[in-house]
Amino acid sequence: MTEERSRRLSESSRVEAFSDGVFSIAITLLVLELAIPAVRDEFLHDLVDEWVSYIAYLAAFGSIGVLWMGHHTVFSRIRAVDAGLLWRNLVLLLTVSVVPFPTAVIASAFRVGSETDQAAAVVAYAVVGMASGVAWLLLFTYLRVHPTLVDPDTGVHFFRLTEPLVTLVGYGIAGLIGWFISPDIALAIFLVFPLLYVVRVRSAGG
Amino acid sequence: MTEERSRRLSESSRVEAFSDGVFSIAITLLVLELAIPAVRDEFLHDLVDEWVSYIAYLAAFGSIGVLWMGHHTVFSRIRAVDAGLLWRNLVLLLTVSVVPFPTAVIASAFRVGSETDQAAAVVAYAVVGMASGVAWLLLFTYLRVHPTLVDPDTGVHFFRLTEPLVTLVGYGIAGLIGWFISPDIALAIFLVFPLLYVVRVRSAGG
Amino acid sequence: MTEERSRRLSESSRVEAFSDGVFSIAITLLVLELAIPAVRDEFLHDLVDEWVSYIAYLAAFGSIGVLWMGHHTVFSRIRAVDAGLLWRNLVLLLTVSVVPFPTAVIASAFRVGSETDQAAAVVAYAVVGMASGVAWLLLFTYLRVHPTLVDPDTGVHFFRLTEPLVTLVGYGIAGLIGWFISPDIALAIFLVFPLLYVVRVRSAGG
Amino acid sequence: MTEERSRRLSESSRVEAFSDGVFSIAITLLVLELAIPAVRDEFLHDLVDEWVSYIAYLAAFGSIGVLWMGHHTVFSRIRAVDAGLLWRNLVLLLTVSVVPFPTAVIASAFRVGSETDQAAAVVAYAVVGMASGVAWLLLFTYLRVHPTLVDPDTGVHFFRLTEPLVTLVGYGIAGLIGWFISPDIALAIFLVFPLLYVVRVRSAGG
């Protein structure tokens, strides 16, 4: 390995710092989308009435939190970074940092929109979820064919494509349900999705 | 301890980086909730008239600052991180990053709302404060039954449940006072709460 | 020095990470205060017409940048952190993270306000600048009487009170000029202030 | 090298942390500029209709991402930091953190503005892109005449002025095309620009 090349495969610490920044900002910006109801004497009622905003907030918070935990796990197995990995990571961060947008769209559509609007909103959210699945697929596929980037103890088989595929298909199904059957069910799936991940980690953790 | 397990108990540095990000963003986002009064010739008067916004801002800033200091102290005693700890930490960060919302609700209710609105707003703030107490309870309880995650010099007795319980009960009482007696008193309690913590730290610091 | 005490005087790295977060967020949030003019055929004219917003943005950006550089310099001389230092640092961060508010107030007042409004706005900015001077005074005074926190090679004389006092008095004078003479002059002072600091650093840097 | 001087040439890690903060915040704040359409029964249509916002978002995201990768590469070659470098870095961060503003201006102008408005908006974006080129030129020129700041293995020839000049000229040409010929073409150039960089890195990476 030449010195120039070893330099380019530089340590992943600054990539993690940048990624942590994007994750933590995206997860914290979500709160800005919680609209403050116009103040009238039914203020408490209006606050409670925004429950869909809160559900969407929790779903998006959980989702970004799960993605961060996945990112944390993956990068703890990476020992070097090259330009191709940086770019795939950037695409992944794009799918993370855009999450506040469909979250706000859902909150807005459920507050004042018709059921058609709500269906459109959950589809928007599902598309972002699917894009996240695709970004993880790109990242994992890249790592599998570049074993020099991976910690030798780990091996490329660690980056199983099953999980990103489940994410991709899962959000796709949720979007279809939201569009053809019921936006409410889709919203419930968005909320439950991150929790499933917790269960899986726990059972795997033993 | 297997190698796989020792890896999962990986160092807490990246968790701290992510948490620091959330804390610092939440505390800085608070400023966005300070509304700029419509510009008329009474601009200075209007600026001063927003004093409740400033009180709420200071209370929330102090509160997040205190929470960060607590987080800093706790994680300096943690030597390893597992999935269960990551999740409890995420719940804790949720209660931190949502703080700008009830802060904005208070500012809005005190600027243009009736006393009923103000009571609802301080209850919303108190609920978030109570949720923070619950999140700390979950974290401390978890650490007490997983001593392998804790620095051996420290011991699990370090994570006393008294403080989170005081937070939980304190915000509960403040909420009740705000709802049944006076929103102003509740707001004063929110402001004083972080200061009490300073006094305690100082006296303990000797 | 007991072990308990040596632990409390823990390394300053996480404090710096949290502070860096607040500085970098505050300096980046400033951009949100740049209002987008309503779109009409005089869009370019309107964009240019917002020049006071841009001046205020540059002044605030330069000011937070200078504060960060000062923070960077000071903490490179600190070897340990205790609760008292954490609190003074938090007060300092408060004066940093609030900067976007008076910046927005200035932009708003100069766009649509009378000269009285503008005077009020520059006074608000000056008050925050003075608060920053006070926060630095508190921090430096604390370090001077707690030499154990300071790098032994440095010595407490490094933390001269002259600079915070100049900041305090300088923003005070700018505020008085803005209120009694001309808001425009005050704004110019706000813009030049950080540049003066650059000149001083350069000449000192040799 | 005196001890005082060696201290001032302190390690670049905290500068990178602060810079990473600004980059990650700026890239994540972009999402706040994605406007949520008013909710009516044509919600999905309206969402899709905002495609120019999405293009502008992608262009700005890619552009900040590329800038971060460049910053990452450059600072991995820097071994020490002095005041002059700090200032040039601050100017560079200014051109990064201001990007959300022209991005929002473009989104706004293409949503509701005339072609003249759109031309003005792409010029604003191009000006920021050119400012970024100038900031890189300042930084590289400084590094070339201060070889003590640079990693000895690297040598100042590493900081070729070609790239910043291409950025400067490229955005200049895009702005002229946007103003005199077609805003749409300018927007397409803004989107393609970061992609070109990817191709170049890949071919160089071998």
Side-chain angles (χ1 to χ4, degrees), chain C residues 19-20 22-28 30 56-73 95-97 99 125 132 136 171 190 193-195 197-198 201, chain D residues 14-15 18 22 83 85-91 93-94 97:
Chain C
S19 305
D20 281 344
V22 170
F23 275 105
S24 54
I25 295 153
I27 211 171
T28 318
L30 290 170
Y57 175 77
L58 288 175
F61 194 98
S63 167
I64 296 181
V66 160
L67 289 172
W68 176 77
M69 284 170 67
H71 197 268
H72 177 71
T73 306
T95 67
V96 169
S97 62
V99 166
Y125 193 99
S132 167
W136 283 102
Y171 277 106
F190 296 152
F193 233 57
L195 299 179
Y197 185 87
V198 188
V201 166
Chain D
R14 215 186 144 190
V15 183
F18 178 69
V22 170
L85 185 61
L86 281 182
W87 270 97
R88 279 157 187 84
N89 187 51
L90 204 58
V91 171
L93 293 179
L94 173 64
S97 62

Side-chain angles (χ1 to χ4, degrees), chain D residues 102-121:
Chain D
T103 309
V105 167
I106 285 184
S108 169
F110 277 79
R111 202 160 48 227
V112 290
S114 68
E115 196 165 335
T116 318
D117 297 335
Q118 296 170 11

Side-chain angles (χ1 to χ4, degrees), chain A residues 20 39-41 71 77 198, chain B residues 7 14 25 83 87 114 117:
Chain A
D20 282 344
V39 172
R40 320 171 269 138
D41 256 339
H71 197 268
R77 309 288 178 142
V198 188
Chain B
R7 184 186 287 283
R14 216 186 142 188
I25 295 153
W87 270 96
S114 68
D117 298 335

Side-chain angles (χ1 to χ4, degrees), chain C residues 77-89:
Chain C
R77 309 287 177 143
I78 287 177
R79 71 166 183 191
V81 172
D82 66 3
L85 185 61
L86 281 181
W87 270 96
R88 279 157 187 84
N89 188 51

